[in-house]
Amino acid sequence: MLELAILGFLYDAPLHGYELRKRITALTGHVRPVAESTLYPAIKRLEKASLLARATQPGAVAAPRHVLTLTDEGRRELRRRLAEPARLDITDENRWFTVLAFLRHLDDATAQTAVLRRRQAFLEEPASFFYDGDRPLGAEELGDPFRRGVLTIARATSRAELSWLRETIDSLGG
């Protein structure tokens, strides 16, 4: 998810590390804050793989800044990752939001639709956070108001997302 976010934000515009970190943190929120100790090794890996380039610019007030730019290979890699997201990228909400934030860079409507259909299929599978043996429990089956709240909120969120997915798939011609 971190590498995808780095590639996605740099696809939009060259950035220095601090600005990149701010944008990734805004996207992932408090759930998965991005530490410098995580971000900079990921940047180095992507740079070593020739997916991004680093240039030094003079600082306005302080030391010189390193500005990161996506290479042509980095652009191709981002589009590949968007076209072929891992299952976890489809099923994990934070990872899914990262894919969705940059899916516009996949400039083929058929490929975008295929990714959206995978998320749609996942959301349409019967599931719950709570089970009776192997049987998923619905909100109405729970006496605990807090667990019922979890399922009620999750159901409403899934319905809203499914509605958006259907509309978007239709608008893409899929």
Side-chain angles (χ1 to χ4, degrees):
M1 184 232 25
L2 178 59
E3 288 184 0
L4 183 67
I6 292 168
L7 294 171
F9 281 119
L10 292 179
Y11 194 103
D12 292 334
L15 298 168
H16 57 86
Y18 176 74
E19 183 63 29
L20 182 60
R21 183 173 172 222
K22 278 181 22 184
R23 291 182 188 200
I24 293 171
T25 298
L27 178 63
T28 60
H30 68 280
V31 176
R32 295 187 181 163
V34 178
E36 287 182 24
S37 61
T38 306
L39 177 62
Y40 290 103
I43 289 171
K44 287 217 179 277
R45 281 192 307 274
L46 294 170
E47 189 176 16
K48 187 176 180 180
S50 300
L51 301 178
L52 58 88
R54 180 188 312 248
T56 304
Q57 293 181 343
V61 177
R65 299 184 322 168
H66 297 283
V67 177
L68 305 166
T69 309
L70 207 57
T71 63
D72 288 341
E73 182 61 31
R75 290 177 180 281
R76 283 190 292 276
E77 179 63 14
L78 173 66
R79 288 189 296 266
R80 184 197 65 74
R81 289 182 186 198
L82 291 171
E84 304 167 4
R87 176 156 172 79
L88 190 56
D89 294 336
I90 298 294
T91 61
D92 178 89
E93 187 173 271
N94 285 317
R95 293 175 74 115
W96 169 245
F97 282 167
T98 302
V99 169
L100 199 55
F102 303 110
L103 196 57
R104 67 190 174 95
H105 296 311
L106 188 57
D107 49 7
D108 175 13
T110 302
Q112 290 171 332
T113 299
V115 173
L116 296 178
R117 285 193 187 284
R118 286 183 59 200
R119 177 68 175 183
Q120 180 182 18
F122 164 71
L123 290 176
E124 289 174 342
E125 293 172 8
S128 179
F129 298 109
F130 311 108
Y131 290 81
D132 180 12
D134 289 339
R135 188 178 66 81
L137 295 173
E140 47 290 323
E141 297 178 85
L142 297 171
D144 178 338
F146 308 108
R147 285 188 168 194
R148 192 170 50 249
V150 167
L151 292 181
T152 300
I153 293 165
R155 182 185 297 156
T157 302
S158 289
R159 284 182 180 153
E161 186 175 351
L162 281 166
S163 175
W164 175 83
L165 284 165
R166 289 182 192 110
E167 287 174 24
T168 304
I169 289 168
D170 286 347
S171 74
L172 292 171

